[in-house]
Amino acid sequence: MSRRADRCLSPKPRGECPGASCRGRSPVHREETAMHDHRRLGRELGLFDTDPLIGAGLPYWLPDGAAVRHALEEYIRDAERRAGYQHVYSPVLGKRELYEISGHWSHYSDDMFPPMRLGGEQVVLRPSLCPHHALIFRSRSRSHRELPLRMAELGGMYRSEPSGVLGGLTRVRAIQLNDAHVFCTVEQVAGEAGAALGMIRRAYEAMGVVPSRYRLSLPGPGGKYVDAPELWRRSTALLTEALDASGLAYEAVEGEAAFYGPKIDVQVADGAGRESTLSTVQVDFHQPERFGLRYVGADGARHRPVMVHRSVVGSVERAVAHLVEHHGGAFPAWLAPTQLVVLPLSAAELPSARALAGRCADAGLRAKVAAPDEGTLGARIRAARLVPYVAVVGPREAADGQVSLRLRDGRRLPPQPAGAALARIGALVAAHRTDLW
């Protein structure tokens, strides 16, 4: 059941060796790893922070971090729309009874916040979105013609994580999850799981991220899993089929499954080699049965759908944490909080620089002006070292409507019409490219 790659799939962040496969790291390597720690970089770059009055594991996002998060969320929503997903919103609260039906209360309650009493009812902060989506599916009669029905949401959920494991954005108590559930027939499961793996691959390419490995997560010993051996066998076979059809190397690991079913976990590694799960695809026969989900088949009879859980980037918090560490704050242009900095040589060019920044905003680009009173040209260029594009505007550029671009990788481009430069940058950003020119 296990297939191993004959090539290294470990990510290689800039200036770092490949994570878990590296042995005997040097002091220089450890120093570089510490420099890329997202907790340090996130605060230095003004992406996020915390406050004891808000609480541990509850970071807030600053404007630049919010820009990165928004760009990532918009990418996911657009990719899901193109793939035929319908977006919904559901509340972050639910009655305790909801999670008793789903099985979370009996298998997962230690990770849930205590119930709150409202009148004669108990409500809880949800630890997962799938029960809500099951109820949305159940809200009206469904036909086989609607299947596969792909339902997606970027929604909040909450986990009662112990204080000792909280850290930065990787382990938090309030999570924004890129979640989706596909309700389909048994015959459609492998195809839907394979399509989800394709979405994950394309997202990783856009983010400039390489998985460390693909893991087929199976149940292990103990009572935390649903006791339904035949359903586990069928679910595992379907996920294995999807992996094999995708041509992906993977490892089967016991004890890492969800309580209701097996899953494909896409693992990433940080500079120190620590692995975490970023994306997942799961097959679930359990919750459709618990919630009594049905659709009317071509034969006129009522049939049980299968539920495929799918998350392209997992939690937004963990995804951004990995992106910060992987890129050292030098994000791909489409994700960068500031995509272009305009540097006027002197105060005389300041009006032209501001006009150029305005044109960037009109084109949907995130730009700002670094005025001459902020330092010498060299100092301002160094301050913008993580920004993908720096546009220098001198007297000649201002007079001719041109810009001289400096790319983050050190390249300097000859003066060119500002409109053409912005069109080229805009096209690269819209295509979610990782190259700068």
Side-chain angles (χ1 to χ4, degrees), residues 342-354 369-378 380 391-398:
V342 187
L343 302 182
L345 286 182
S346 69
E349 290 81 46
L350 194 53
S352 296
R354 287 172 175 160
V369 175
D373 60 6
E374 296 180 32
T376 65
L377 180 64
R380 285 179 284 155
V392 179
V393 179
R396 182 183 302 175
E397 288 85 1

Side-chain angles (χ1 to χ4, degrees), residues 103-164:
H104 285 83
W105 192 256
S106 58
H107 293 277
Y108 203 75
S109 58
D110 289 346
D111 296 297
M112 297 171 62
F113 282 98
M116 296 173 280
R117 186 167 295 279
L118 294 178
E121 298 178 339
Q122 289 186 339
V123 297
V124 296
L125 289 166
R126 66 178 175 193
S128 177
L129 281 69
C130 44
H132 288 77
H133 289 186
L135 293 184
I136 293 174
F137 181 90
R138 200 179 71 175
S139 63
R140 64 177 180 81
S141 177
R142 303 288 181 178
S143 165
H144 67 95
R145 296 183 184 87
E146 299 178 71
L147 305 187
L149 192 156
R150 306 180 185 102
M151 189 183 301
E153 181 175 2
L154 269 162
M157 67 180 195
Y158 299 82
R159 302 281 172 87
S160 181
E161 298 278 14
S163 298

Side-chain angles (χ1 to χ4, degrees), residues 22-178:
C22 199
R23 295 290 182 267
R25 292 181 178 81
S26 67
V28 172
H29 179 100
R30 290 193 294 270
E31 182 180 350
E32 289 178 346
T33 299
M35 288 175 62
H36 280 219
D37 188 317
H38 84 278
R39 293 168 296 184
R40 184 187 67 81
L41 271 178
R43 289 173 171 84
E44 287 184 3
L45 300 177
L47 303 178
F48 69 90
D49 212 332
T50 58
D51 192 291
L53 285 177
I54 297 177
L58 300 169
Y60 57 83
W61 296 78
L62 295 164
D64 278 358
V68 176
R69 171 175 167 168
H70 181 78
L72 185 60
E73 291 177 348
E74 282 303 297
Y75 169 84
I76 292 299
R77 287 193 180 97
D78 183 63
E80 288 171 339
R81 282 192 293 266
R82 293 173 184 269
Y85 284 81
Q86 302 175 59
H87 288 96
V88 299
Y89 289 106
S90 57
V92 299
L93 291 169
K95 291 171 64 174
R96 171 177 165 170
E97 180 184 0
L98 172 64
Y99 301 102
E100 290 174 343
I101 294 172
S102 70
H104 285 83
W105 192 256
S106 58
H107 293 277
Y108 203 75
S109 58
D110 289 346
D111 296 297
M112 297 171 62
F113 282 98
M116 296 173 280
R117 186 167 295 279
L118 294 178
E121 298 178 339
Q122 289 186 339
V123 297
V124 296
L125 289 166
R126 66 178 175 193
S128 177
L129 281 69
C130 44
H132 288 77
H133 289 186
L135 293 184
I136 293 174
F137 181 90
R138 200 179 71 175
S139 63
R140 64 177 180 81
S141 177
R142 303 288 181 178
S143 165
H144 67 95
R145 296 183 184 87
E146 299 178 71
L147 305 187
L149 192 156
R150 306 180 185 102
M151 189 183 301
E153 181 175 2
L154 269 162
M157 67 180 195
Y158 299 82
R159 302 281 172 87
S160 181
E161 298 278 14
S163 298
V165 303
L166 298 173
L169 296 177
T170 54
R171 293 293 289 270
V172 294
R173 288 171 170 161
I175 302 164
Q176 193 73 11
L177 186 68
N178 157 230

